Amino acid sequence: MPASPFRLERVAIVMMSAIGDAVHVLPVVNAIKRHSPGSRITWLLAPRPGALVRGHSAVDEIIEFSPRDGLSAWRGIRRSLRSREFDVVLDLQVALKAGLLTSLVNAPVKVGFDRRRARDLNWIFTNHRIPPHPNQHVQDQYFEFLEALGVPHEPVTWNLGPWPHEAEARRVFVATLPRPTVTLVLATSNPHKDWIPERWAELVDVLYEKFGLRAVLAGGRSARELAVQETVMRLARHTPHTTLGVPLRELVWLIDASELVISPDTGPLHMAVALDTPVIGLMGYNNPKRIGPYRKYRDLMLDAYGDPGENYPISPEHREGRMARIQVADVVDRVRLWQARYAEAR
């Protein structure tokens, strides 16, 4: 393996954002540990994704930080970081708040994105920027940081779990689920990425009657998610099992135990990829070439982002109003494809 141009004994990761982003960071920390087993990796991230990765074998320390808590949170993180020293910090989050946090980390090397891709003046807080590169999948963008460190990223591994110490709790949790299970992720943090609630209800019945799959509803307990759940429960003839609001580690167990996951563009979609559970991705608002399932299950994805025959570029641009294009029949076609290609392997 090539030698790294930087010391990697003490590595800090700045990525406070969403669940999907946290999943994309896992192959990065795994690669660093594989290349430099003696590295100590400290990850600065928000409490919710922190609950997902806490206990991961490649993450030595998690420092939770929530910018939403205001000035007191900034004062607290400054005190926490004041006495710590690192060899390198990787600023993987292109936002002003991530840049400000990177500025508080005591490290001689602060690696960030090139100026074009670093939004909100994020680039001014780093002193070593990865070279400019055409837009590509978010996961591959994070691997550019490994290239800067001289760390190979293959093989790509997540090790999201279930972990050995969770075996008994997972067994008890899975025993409460209907079998065989199809997990339906009802909503996202952005209504533009959500599917139509009535279509979820129709799909629940089709999955049960034509494929023998028993639906489990997954997600958080936001007002919008609860409203979708109420619609599904009211309209579906075959009442689904619901797990809305379960802790994230239990969501890992649910996805791992499922035959199939059907999800819009949100964290559980990427969790399913990491867990090697077949997933039908419902994509319309964000560019699926940039944030769709990574390497796996692209054949199951429904792409409402592009127009028929359109060879669109990889870009961060959004397209509103596209999710309504996805019909129940389209999803059923993908379920048939799953049945033909992947069902036996589960």
Side-chain angles (χ1 to χ4, degrees), residues 186 197 200-201 204 217 227-236 240:
L186 295 182
W200 281 121
V204 166
L217 310 183
V228 176
Q229 175 183 258
E230 189 278 329
T231 298
V232 174
M233 290 292 195
R234 175 168 46 84
L235 296 179

Side-chain angles (χ1 to χ4, degrees), residues 173 177 183 185 218 250-261 267-269 271-273 275 277 346:
F173 175 80
L177 302 175
T183 293
V185 182
E250 293 186 15
L251 182 56
V252 169
W253 308 338
L254 168 60
I255 292 173
D256 183 65
S258 298
E259 307 298 322
L260 175 66
V261 173
L269 182 151
M271 292 168 64
V273 172
L275 294 165
T277 298
R346 298 294 291 179

Side-chain angles (χ1 to χ4, degrees), residues 101-270:
L101 184 55
T102 298
S103 72
L104 299 177
V105 178
N106 296 317
V109 178
K110 301 185 177 185
V111 186
F113 280 98
D114 59 281
R115 187 166 180 173
R116 179 184 68 86
R117 291 183 287 177
R119 301 191 306 268
D120 297 342
L121 300 178
N122 177 268
W123 60 273
I124 70 175
F125 300 101
T126 57
N127 56 22
H128 186 99
R129 300 177 192 99
I130 60 177
H133 194 286
N135 291 320
Q136 55 182 338
H137 195 283
V138 170
Q139 185 69 76
D140 290 317
Q141 286 189 167
Y142 291 171
F143 289 155
E144 293 178 52
F145 284 76
L146 293 178
E147 293 174 11
L149 298 180
V151 173
H153 68 266
E154 297 287 356
V156 178
T157 59
W158 288 267
N159 188 22
L160 184 58
W163 298 320
H165 69 271
E166 297 176 324
E168 178 58 21
R170 176 191 183 276
R171 185 193 65 78
V172 173
F173 175 80
V174 170
T176 68
L177 302 175
R179 300 296 297 166
T181 298
V182 54
T183 293
L184 308 182
V185 182
L186 295 182
T188 72
S189 60
N190 184 338
H192 294 298
K193 299 191 293 184
D194 292 351
W195 201 33
I196 297 173
E198 290 77 10
R199 294 180 189 175
W200 281 121
E202 182 181 348
L203 181 62
V204 166
D205 292 331
V206 174
L207 291 169
Y208 184 87
E209 294 170 3
K210 292 190 175 182
F211 300 94
L213 294 171
R214 304 182 180 186
V216 173
L217 310 183
R221 295 189 64 80
S222 68
R224 196 168 69 257
E225 288 165 302
L226 291 173
V228 176
Q229 175 183 258
E230 189 278 329
T231 298
V232 174
M233 290 292 195
R234 175 168 46 84
L235 296 179
R237 295 186 301 276
H238 303 282
T239 304
H241 184 88
T242 181
T243 64
L244 261 63
V246 299
L248 280 171
R249 292 308 305 170
E250 293 186 15
L251 182 56
V252 169
W253 308 338
L254 168 60
I255 292 173
D256 183 65
S258 298
E259 307 298 322
L260 175 66
V261 173
I262 304 176
S263 174
D265 171 23
T266 189
L269 182 151
H270 303 292

Side-chain angles (χ1 to χ4, degrees), residues 55-77:
H56 193 282
S57 59
V59 181
D60 298 286
E61 180 185 24
I62 291 175
I63 300 178
E64 292 187 356
F65 172 64
S66 178
R68 295 181 179 179
D69 292 340
L71 188 57
S72 62
W74 285 101
R75 288 171 176 164
I77 195 67

